[in-house]
Amino acid sequence: MRIENILGIKYPLFQGAMAWISHSSLVSSVSNAGGLGILGGGSLTKEACREEIRKIKALTDKPFALNIMLMSPHSDDLAELAIEEDIKIIVTGAGNPSKYMKKWKEHGIIVIPVVASVALAKRMERLGADAIIAEGTEAGGHIGELTTMVLVPQVVDAVSIPVIAAGGIADKRGVKAAFALGAQGVQLGTRFLVAKECTIPQQYKDEIISAKDTDSTVTGRITGHPVRVLKNRMTRQIKEIENASGMSVEEKIAKIEELTMGSFRKAVVDGDTTYSSLMSGQIAGLVKKEETAEEIIKSLFE
Ligand SMILES: Cc1cc2nc3c(=O)[nH]c(=O)nc-3n(C[C@H](O)[C@H](O)[C@H](O)COP(=O)(O)O)c2cc1C
């Protein structure tokens, strides 16, 4: 069955979950426009997340999903909350959701994990995942190693459930390319950062809109948690620490952790563009203007 039919959506388009960002305003707008809005649960406590779910339900009667970031300290709580609030679709990120799968499936929840390798895609299918999001390293946020071009067709060949391509897609050409690789749908994050209904500070949106092809970089490889962000003064300092001589790896990690503490919050709450994690994909160079979620979706499919 096609992914649109499994989920009851008009377009095979997922608005990628973004912790701190994809909350009720963006999610309900995407779902109302015929895509799948995904609530980023990453930064939310159980009660804050419950509130967002209820707001979304008040703003749309269309399907939407809850994203559970498996490295969040609240993931056990959100796994329970999904059942309590009768969530129909869960998208998992940053890890392996095996320990929750049985319970979710018993409650008839559609589960769609984000993966960055064929091995994890196959494991997820065996555990009962209904579809897979294969996310390439071009994407904004936490990333794996393989590119979308390389990962998607290999995941498509390895599983028999629908595959959604994510990472580096921002226009109709990217959507067509994803379909040519065998994907049934696409997930976009970076382009939705500049949706009118996305509530991040204008300074963050302006950085995305003015970004060039080479303006993103990856921080955190040394800590084992690579994250794609736009280059700024903070990322340059991180590189200096990474390349410094006479410091142990442990010392470098400690210094980087000190420097980056709360840096994503600074971007999404304070609008700080210099000492902040401006998470963004490589495709920001193609994102040129603020538009409504509906305009973005129409530009991809019509
Ligand atoms: C600012 C930002 C925050 C993100 N946060 C999350 C998250 O909380 N959970 C998740 O599963 N993916 C997260 N992602 C990944 C997106 O959901 C999506 O897969 C990715 O952005 C697609 O690639 P693109 O940025 O090239 O469009 C984030 C991406 C961005 C840009």
Side-chain angles (χ1 to χ4, degrees), residues 15-22 40-43 67-69 91-94 114 133 135-136 138-142 166-170 187-193 204 228 264 268 277-284:
Q15 155 259 304
M18 295 184 273
W20 291 92
I21 298 173
S22 63
S43 66
N67 173 241
I68 301 185
M69 281 292 268
V91 170
T92 62
V114 177
I133 300 168
E135 188 194 63
E138 300 94 320
H142 293 267
I169 301 165
Q187 167 160 300
L188 280 65
T190 299
R191 184 150 181 212
F192 282 109
L193 281 174
Y204 193 162
R228 187 174 297 286
F264 190 40
V268 297
S277 285
L278 295 163
M279 289 190 193
S280 164
Q282 291 182 329
I283 205 68

Side-chain angles (χ1 to χ4, degrees), residues 3 7 12-14 112 131-135 152 156 161-166 169 178 183-187:
I3 192 69
L7 303 179
L13 177 279
F14 291 16
I112 311 181
I132 290 286
I133 300 168
E135 188 194 63
V152 171
V156 167
I161 48 181
V163 175
I164 317 306
I169 301 165
Q184 280 200 20
V186 290
Q187 167 160 300

Side-chain angles (χ1 to χ4, degrees), residues 222 236-247 252:
I222 195 170
R236 280 191 286 278
Q237 277 194 15
I238 293 172
K239 296 281 168 205
E240 278 167 24
I241 297 168
E242 283 174 353
N243 297 329
S245 52
M247 230 194 280
K252 289 181 181 182

